[in-house]
Amino acid sequence: MATIGLDKLYYAKITEAEDGEETYGTPEILAKAISAELSIELAEATLYADDGASEVVKDFKSGKLTLGVDDIGITAAQDLTGAAADDNGVLISAGENIAPPVAIGFRALRANGKYRYFWLYRVIFGIPSANLQTKGDSITFQTPSIEGTVMRRNKPDAKATHPWKAEVSEGASGVTAETISGWFGQVYEPTYTEATSGE
């Protein structure tokens, strides 16, 4: 079903253990969302046998997330880009900044009035772009955008896979009210019953 809106843009800082496994902090509001564009790159391979395609493998490689926002505050800019604020509250971006990975959550309004919810488990952002323009005869809003690379997380789930995205539609079969109401309280962790955990 088509989506007609976007809001509730959150990020959660990631703490990494020595083995690289992620622990997610409490989600915080990033900014007011204007747009979110997610494109995916796949690693593909085709095995040919008996004069035809015998097997095809398409695995997630990485993704690109471009967020259009109303503004990126100084705290979010530090958390997403590795920039630092000086003693006067001025945000300083340096060539040596290393952007830490974060999880990104948001929701999209569907045409039926219900929402589709998302968490991207590991995103590393670049420096936000700025588009500035002098005021003329009419007012034109200029807003920043920030682009990040989406990767699978290092921490395996209960099926020993490494998820990169969690997505759920409000009102879908099997989706509990608690899953929806708690979506932005913490980064969603996949859960499986014993019967499916060995698959």
Side-chain angles (χ1 to χ4, degrees):
M1 181 175 293
T3 59
I4 58 173
L6 174 71
D7 68 354
K8 301 283 187 184
L9 182 57
Y10 282 77
Y11 74 97
K13 293 192 282 187
I14 293 175
T15 303
E16 293 186 2
E18 287 186 22
D19 62 2
E21 287 193 5
E22 299 89 347
T23 301
Y24 299 101
T26 302
E28 302 176 48
I29 292 177
L30 196 161
K32 290 184 179 178
I34 296 173
S35 63
E37 182 180 336
L38 177 63
S39 59
I40 303 303
E41 186 176 348
L42 299 175
E44 300 184 38
T46 304
L47 173 67
Y48 291 91
D50 288 340
D51 295 332
S54 175
E55 294 184 38
V56 177
V57 176
K58 294 187 179 192
D59 286 339
F60 173 79
K61 187 175 177 183
S62 66
K64 181 174 79 171
L65 176 66
T66 304
L67 296 174
V69 295
D70 68 330
D71 190 21
I72 297 176
I74 192 166
T75 301
Q78 290 178 88
D79 292 341
L80 269 59
T81 68
D86 73 0
D87 294 342
N88 297 312
V90 177
L91 185 67
I92 306 298
S93 297
E96 293 79 10
N97 292 151
I98 298 174
V102 295
I104 297 292
F106 52 89
R107 70 179 187 175
L109 180 62
R110 299 165 65 209
N112 65 359
K114 297 188 183 293
Y115 287 91
R116 179 173 294 144
Y117 291 78
F118 298 85
W119 272 111
L120 301 174
Y121 285 112
R122 188 177 177 91
V123 183
I124 296 181
F125 285 100
I127 303 300
S129 66
N131 184 11
L132 309 174
Q133 178 178 324
T134 190
K135 187 167 66 171
D137 292 335
S138 62
I139 296 173
T140 303
F141 288 105
Q142 304 298 322
T143 57
S145 65
I146 187 166
E147 185 177 296
T149 300
V150 179
M151 297 171 288
R152 71 177 204 168
R153 72 180 190 180
N154 297 320
K155 179 182 178 181
D157 62 15
K159 285 190 169 188
T161 62
H162 299 85
W164 62 273
K165 177 178 75 167
E167 177 180 347
V168 66
S169 293
E170 183 181 13
S173 176
V175 177
T176 66
E178 292 77 18
T179 298
I180 299 302
S181 64
W183 193 257
F184 297 115
Q186 62 185 17
V187 176
Y188 181 78
E189 278 294 332
T191 57
Y192 301 100
T193 62
E194 288 294 322
T196 60
S197 63
E199 291 180 358

